[in-house]
Amino acid sequence: GFEADYGLATAPVCDIRSFNADARQEDVASALREDGVVCIRKVFSSDQILKLRAAYDECWTLTRACMVDASVSSPWQRRVFHHFAGSKTAPLDKGLYHRVPIKQLRMKDSSVKGQYGNQSVVVRMGKGRYDFTHNMENTVLAQEEATRPEPLRSLLGACLGPESEWHSY
């Protein structure tokens, strides 16, 4: 089935350096360049987290309902990406989503058109793990304070260059 053998038993385990949001950007950037990953704590306040969680739960409830409604969802399918060679973004899009099960949801209730027009895509990233954006466009989840908060925005700008090069990831 779609959730069989995601390699959990052989997944690598590592220590990740952790910094608070008010840490010196140079220290965080240095660790990120060296390790490839860092944890930045206290980016959001408790109140922000409550608002983000409430919006997420509402969107997930709607998404789950759509996923089982055959009138608005397609069957699960696997996208196959070609042309990996020479693509600077392949590890972040084609490589990450190659042959991963997706389900398209039609008739998105939103005045905002997303990457897939008036439809949404649910991606099954692993057993019980889904990537989705259904109806998030009109919530706090789509606002810059959620998608590009400081200090992450400055850190990514320092490491990756202009925001136009990385903002959709």
Side-chain angles (χ1 to χ4, degrees):
F2 282 106
E3 292 186 352
D5 189 21
Y6 276 91
L8 297 177
T10 59
V13 177
C14 65
D15 290 322
I16 298 174
R17 287 194 261 180
S18 179
F19 299 87
N20 284 336
D22 60 358
R24 285 181 357 111
Q25 181 175 325
E26 297 81 16
D27 295 339
V28 180
S30 175
L32 181 59
R33 284 186 192 99
E34 184 179 328
D35 299 342
V37 63
V38 295
C39 173
I40 302 177
R41 298 182 184 281
K42 301 181 182 177
V43 172
F44 299 105
S45 69
S46 296
D47 185 51
Q48 287 173 308
I49 291 171
L50 289 173
K51 289 177 184 174
L52 292 168
R53 183 61 199 226
Y56 175 88
D57 288 345
E58 184 177 328
C59 291
W60 180 231
T61 298
L62 178 59
T63 299
R64 281 192 329 222
C66 290
M67 287 169 58
V68 297
D69 184 347
S71 70
V72 296
S73 71
S74 67
W76 287 102
Q77 57 188 338
R78 292 182 188 266
R79 283 189 292 191
V80 176
F81 291 94
H82 304 282
H83 313 295
F84 284 77
S87 172
K88 293 191 311 186
T89 62
L92 297 174
D93 53 28
K94 294 176 181 81
L96 185 61
Y97 295 107
H98 181 65
R99 299 201 36 79
V100 173
I102 67 162
K103 178 183 275 280
Q104 291 190 7
L105 306 179
R106 295 182 282 284
M107 302 185 320
K108 184 164 58 173
D109 181 21
S110 172
S111 61
V112 178
K113 302 289 189 244
Q115 178 180 1
Y116 297 95
N118 197 33
Q119 47 181 312
S120 293
V121 174
V122 178
V123 182
R124 189 178 292 167
M125 299 301 295
K127 187 174 183 179
R129 295 184 55 225
Y130 298 90
D131 185 359
F132 72 100
T133 59
H134 191 61
N135 275 358
M136 290 184 184
E137 295 91 351
N138 299 320
T139 72
V140 66
L141 296 167
Q143 295 174 0
E144 284 196 11
E145 73 176 32
T147 61
R148 295 187 289 284
E150 287 297 341
L152 301 181
R153 177 185 228 153
S154 296
L155 177 64
L156 289 172
C159 292
L160 299 176
E163 188 171 343
S164 62
E165 296 293 321
W166 55 263
H167 79 274
S168 65
Y169 296 103

